[in-house]
Structure formats: C-alpha cells, structure tokens
Amino acid sequence: MKFFIDTANLDQIKEAQDLGVLDGVTTNPSLMAKEGITGKENIIAHYKKICEITTGDVSAEVIATDFDNIVKEGEELAALHDQIIVKVPMIKEGIKAIKYFSDKGIKTNCTLVFSAGQALLAAKAGATYVSPFIGRLDDISTDGLNLIMEIRQIYDNYGFDTQILAASVRHTMHVIDCAKIGADVMTGPLSAITGLLNHPLTDIGLEKFLADHKKGN
Ligand code: G3P
C-alpha cells in the first residue's frame, strides 16, 4: 500500500519523507490556498519544491473545467516534472481529458469521486489513480469505506489498472480499514501516518526495557 500525504505544507511533507515511508503527495486548490500559495507562478514554483522533497508522485490539480483548457493546463503541469500527476475533476469534460492524457502517456488522478459508477468511468478513461473521498462521504452519514470495497470489487472483476487512491482519509482507522480492503494508496494528513506509530503498551514496554537495562548496568 502506498502512503501519500495530503498537504501542500512543505514542513509536513519533509517530516513524512524523513520517516522513510512516503510514496507521494496529493494537493488540491484548497490545500494550496491554506498555505497561502496563490497566483500561477507561485503555485508552479511550489509544485517544483514539493517534487524536490519527495521522490514519489505529486498530484497537481487543474483549475479549468472545459476540455481544451484542462488539456492545456494539464500538459503544462505534466511538463514541470516527471513526478507530476495531473489531477482532473470527475466531470464530463474531465473524463474526456483523462482519456486524452491516457492516450498520450500522461498520468492522471481523477478526483472528487463519490460513487462506484464514477470510479468505473475513470478506469474506462484510463486514469492512473482514482480518488474516492471517504471522509467527505462519512461527513454526510454515508459509508466511505463501503465505496472503497465496491471499487475494489469492480476493478478486480475486470483487471483495471487504475489504482484506488483512498482520499479524504482523516485518521489512522481509515488507513487500517483501507489497507484491509486493499486500496492501492491512501492519502491523508501527517497525523494519519504518524498516528500509526502509537500504542500505550509500546511506551510502557520501552520504559520497562530501558529501566531494566539501567539496573543491570
Ligand atoms: O485528497 C482529498 C482531500 O484533500 C480532501 O480531504 O479532508 O478536505 O475531505 P478533506
């Protein structure tokens, strides 16, 4: 299972990278704005900085919503760095663009996916990744993890290569449940990764080992 971090915060990306388990980064316009990164030039410079920190895939989202401009913007983003994955929204023009990018060998991440039907379309169009937003489904009292299960079954039935990128992951239990279901990737905040480290019995056990070692020396 690949671990992506869902942030545009360079310090957090560095921290996850330093842990040695980071496989990539996902961003979106809201995460960029949260870091105060605005304007095309600044956004492009920020993507380049992210690519310098991580060795994995970096999702960069298009803003355009019509085919011609999604293609123009996506090609510009893809040309920035070979780690860039063009993130395209799940809309009609987006699906057309994903098919276009797929035919040209440009990798894509189909974002804002909330149903199995949308995920099936993204795979048919040749998306590299599909991003079902599980946390946002949970927010509206719908079972986000069930969507991951449905997509896993559909993709396995037909051998689709599209990787399931469980997005809008909020906490460690989402990560563990996605791993049990067989999501190919999860993207979440730093806390969802570092939280996996924690268990009180680990802390108690280590404290005792160190105390016993001290007694014997
Ligand atoms: O990867 C999708 C993500 O950025 C959305 O997460 O927590 O805003 O629902 P969230």
Side-chain angles (χ1 to χ4, degrees):
M1 186 194 205
K2 292 189 211 168
F3 277 14
F4 289 178
I5 189 168
D6 195 29
T7 184
N9 183 289
L10 300 181
D11 291 335
Q12 291 182 15
I13 296 170
K14 276 186 199 129
E15 190 175 334
Q17 180 68 27
D18 286 348
L19 196 57
V21 299
L22 191 68
D23 299 296
V25 178
T26 50
T27 63
N28 62 38
S30 304
L31 293 171
M32 282 288 189
K34 193 175 165 196
E35 298 307 317
I37 314 295
T38 53
K40 192 175 172 183
E41 280 181 16
N42 292 333
I43 290 173
I44 282 175
H46 204 73
Y47 285 138
K48 287 183 179 165
K49 284 182 197 163
I50 294 174
C51 290
E52 281 164 20
I53 299 171
T54 179
T55 50
D57 289 346
V58 175
S59 287
E61 189 157 341
V62 298
I63 304 300
T65 53
D66 65 284
F67 176 80
D68 288 341
N69 284 307
I70 293 174
V71 165
K72 185 170 173 283
E73 213 183 319
E75 285 179 335
E76 281 170 13
L77 289 169
L80 288 180
H81 201 286
D82 59 10
Q83 286 166 238
I84 293 283
I85 307 292
V86 180
K87 203 170 179 188
V88 181
M90 165 44 73
I91 52 175
K92 193 174 181 182
E93 298 290 290
I95 284 296
K96 282 160 63 179
I98 286 170
K99 172 70 177 137
Y100 171 90
F101 288 134
S102 164
D103 289 345
K104 289 199 78 179
I106 294 174
K107 291 183 182 171
T108 54
N109 174 357
C110 183
T111 190
L112 289 166
V113 166
F114 293 94
S115 77
Q118 290 178 327
L120 179 56
L121 262 182
K124 290 280 293 174
T128 313
Y129 295 104
V130 65
S131 286
F133 278 30
I134 61 175
R136 292 194 190 182
L137 282 169
D138 290 355
D139 287 346
I140 58 157
S141 305
T142 306
D143 187 354
L145 289 166
N146 186 55
L147 176 59
I148 304 293
M149 277 189 248
E150 287 183 318
I151 301 172
R152 182 73 284 156
Q153 185 184 352
I154 290 168
Y155 283 10
D156 288 350
N157 282 348
Y158 297 99
F160 283 119
D161 290 332
T162 301
Q163 295 178 55
I164 302 173
L165 196 174
S168 184
V169 158
R170 301 275 173 77
H171 47 69
T172 53
M173 282 313 295
H174 272 155
V175 179
I176 293 159
D177 286 331
C178 284
K180 285 191 201 163
I181 295 165
D184 300 287
V185 192
M186 78 84 198
T187 191
L190 180 63
S191 58
I193 299 174
T194 56
L196 297 171
L197 287 164
N198 303 332
H199 197 289
L201 290 179
T202 304
D203 300 337
I204 293 166
L206 182 61
E207 204 177 317
K208 177 146 176 43
F209 284 158
L210 294 178
D212 289 347
H213 173 76
K214 213 173 181 180
K215 274 188 233 160
N217 283 282

